[in-house]
Amino acid sequence: MLRRLLAEFLGTGLLVAVVVGSGIAAQRLWPDDVGLQLLQNSTATVLGLAVLILLFGPVSGAHFNPVVSLAGWWLGRRTGDGLTPAELAAYVAAQCLGGIGGALLANTMFEVGAGTAATERGGTGLLVGEVVATAGLVLLVFALARTGRGALSAPAVGAYIGAAYWFTSSTSFANPAVTVGRMFSDTFAGVAPSSVPGFVAAQLVGGAVGVLLVLVLYPDAGRAADAVVVPHPEPTHARA
């Protein structure tokens, strides 16, 4: 379990470092072109996320996202698959701490001063965008797991997040741990603390919508909860 939590901490932290660090680099390289900044930021995120899933997936499943972990627990709870409540709490804590650490690491690498972000992100459109982005992510990872295509998760999840950067109004945070982490960097990818509760609430709603879609399309998806996002060793608690 300690190895799994370390993998979730490092994976989420490095994901946030990729998002924040590439945002800082893009802003400095092309200060007058926001569209190009977003293109560079999204490209780095697509590649970085795919690599991190390949790197840490065999250890922890590469959730890197409290909503994915929560959905896995909910879908697998009746069949005894997926995380236990204690494991879920530990995963979420590791992911959130990793997200904060990743933002601080990016700040340090680019010599950005300490402090929380000032960029306000809110409004109905952005929150709807987060619902859509998160629901699609949950549906994707469980569809892949249920159909035995977990090996495709790295490119598929990376591609989805990269696309969602552009087709959602919120640029697809879709992850409470990443949202919390981005609060600690007052840069291109930052989000003000006052905007975080709304984003997290929208992500949880999106997660619930995603779970509902999974249950409709793949009623027995809970049996694949142990294989989300990618197959990994049997959890520490024994299965019957």
Side-chain angles (χ1 to χ4, degrees):
M1 188 60 182
L2 289 178
R3 290 192 309 110
R4 293 164 62 199
L5 294 179
L6 178 60
E8 287 296 299
F9 174 83
L10 291 175
T12 310
L14 290 172
L15 173 59
V16 173
V18 168
V19 173
V20 174
S22 63
I24 297 171
Q27 191 173 42
R28 290 181 179 180
L29 290 170
W30 299 95
D32 301 320
D33 193 331
V34 177
L36 187 55
Q37 292 170 11
L38 186 61
L39 177 61
Q40 294 168 330
N41 188 213
S42 61
T43 301
T45 301
V46 168
L47 298 174
L49 178 56
V51 169
L52 291 172
I53 291 173
L54 290 172
L55 179 61
F56 295 111
V59 179
S60 68
H63 293 189
F64 308 154
N65 188 332
V67 171
V68 171
S69 298
L70 179 61
W73 164 75
W74 179 261
L75 288 169
R77 73 193 192 287
R78 292 181 178 176
T79 61
D81 297 280
L83 300 173
T84 67
E87 289 171 338
L88 171 64
Y91 260 52
V92 171
Q95 291 157 355
C96 290
L97 290 173
I100 295 170
L104 298 178
L105 175 61
N107 290 344
T108 301
M109 289 192 294
F110 287 92
E111 298 182 347
V112 174
T116 54
T119 304
E120 296 282 348
R121 303 176 191 264
T124 302
L126 265 65
L127 298 181
V128 171
E130 279 301 283
V131 173
V132 171
T134 311
L137 176 63
V138 170
L139 178 58
L140 172 62
V141 297
F142 281 93
L144 290 174
R146 170 60 186 83
T147 56
R149 296 176 295 163
L152 297 176
S153 291
V157 173
Y160 175 78
I161 292 298
Y165 254 87
W166 293 92
F167 79 76
T168 65
S169 55
S170 63
T171 67
S172 181
F173 286 38
N175 185 331
V178 169
T179 303
V180 170
R182 290 170 70 162
M183 180 176 67
F184 288 88
S185 183
D186 190 15
T187 60
F188 176 79
V191 55
S194 59
S195 300
V196 170
F199 264 64
V200 172
Q203 291 156 2
L204 292 173
V205 171
V209 172
V211 166
L212 178 61
L213 291 172
V214 170
L215 289 173
V216 172
L217 296 171
Y218 303 97
D220 59 347
R223 296 189 179 277
D226 283 334
V228 172
V229 170
V230 295
H232 51 288
E234 186 80 357
T236 52
H237 54 284
R239 303 300 186 195

